[in-house]
Amino acid sequence: QCLGMRGIKALLETQVDGEPQKIEKSYSPVSLPSDAGFFDLLVKTYPPRPGGGLGAFLCDLSAGETATLRLKPPREIHGSPDVVNRWQHVGLVAAGTGLAPLFQLARILLNDCRTLASVRLLFINRSPDDILMAEQLRDLQRQHPTRFSVVHSLTRPPADWTGLQGRGSVQMARLALPPPRRANVQQPPQAG
């Protein structure tokens, strides 16, 4: 069975300071919605703390261990779960784990032979070590050199960093993303 354009809510019942606590966190798959029998999540591990720590729990699971996950309703973008053939140029802005749903969207657009949409991503992180899925992003660039590009910006760059710096700005968006155009904004297909 395929997951489709759905997110996942992970649930964990645990003890914090001797008190029972239920922790919930939503995750967006990075695998394609059409992948059958599995899905991939981007999970960053944080140490357990009040109200958090679910990432550490998931990352520490061994083969054969389980976690409680719940499917969320289908995700819609501008009123429709259909994303293919809706845009000519797509600009995405992500920071940290916010990359997950945008990475999935980029993969959908780039892997569908019915569309030739270009995808440009502005990805903001603290340092080079914080750039999640760096190899997978490089793979997308290698596989789609004329249709996919990534511009990185760091908020705590090392001294030798030559890329963009900062949390984001209009100037940064103009540099990294496609310009706004009427052709880039299309209505979702009508049900019929």
Side-chain angles (χ1 to χ4, degrees):
Q1 189 170 22
C2 299
L3 191 60
M5 288 290 286
R6 295 173 175 262
I8 300 290
K9 182 163 288 225
L11 308 165
L12 173 64
E13 292 186 16
T14 187
Q15 295 270 330
V16 176
D17 298 327
E19 297 292 320
Q21 185 174 21
K22 187 181 217 178
I23 301 172
E24 296 183 0
K25 179 151 177 55
S26 293
Y27 292 95
S28 294
V30 294
S31 48
L32 291 169
S34 58
D35 288 340
F38 74 95
F39 58 88
D40 295 320
L41 298 176
L42 170 60
V43 179
K44 188 170 181 180
T45 184
Y46 294 99
R49 63 188 185 282
L54 205 128
F57 169 75
L58 292 174
C59 290
D60 288 342
L61 287 173
S62 297
E65 293 182 313
T66 62
T68 302
L69 305 174
R70 186 173 64 219
L71 280 177
K72 295 174 76 173
R75 185 178 23 214
E76 293 187 354
I77 301 172
H78 297 285
S80 173
D82 298 321
V83 295
V84 176
N85 288 326
R86 286 181 58 190
W87 307 282
Q88 293 176 0
H89 307 281
V90 176
L92 306 171
V93 179
T97 58
L99 173 66
L102 304 183
F103 184 82
Q104 184 189 53
L105 177 61
R107 288 188 66 205
I108 293 166
L109 294 171
L110 296 169
N111 288 334
D112 193 296
C113 61
R114 297 171 291 170
T115 182
L116 292 177
S118 66
V119 179
R120 296 172 70 180
L121 170 66
L122 171 58
F123 193 20
I124 303 166
N125 290 279
R126 287 188 186 124
S127 71
D129 291 339
D130 293 317
I131 298 173
L132 301 171
M133 301 186 73
E135 187 58 37
Q136 291 87 343
L137 290 169
R138 283 191 291 274
D139 286 346
L140 279 183
Q141 286 180 295
R142 280 192 290 270
Q143 294 163 7
H144 307 279
T146 62
R147 295 181 51 216
F148 182 72
S149 64
V150 180
V151 174
H152 293 282
S153 179
L154 300 179
T155 59
R156 296 180 189 159
D160 62 345
W161 178 254
T162 59
L164 297 178
Q165 297 182 31
R167 293 184 181 272
S169 66
V170 171
Q171 179 184 2
M172 204 178 282
R174 285 184 178 141
L175 175 70
L177 305 176
R181 291 185 272 216
R182 173 81 42 208
N184 290 344
V185 181
Q186 297 180 17
Q187 296 302 313
Q190 298 298 315

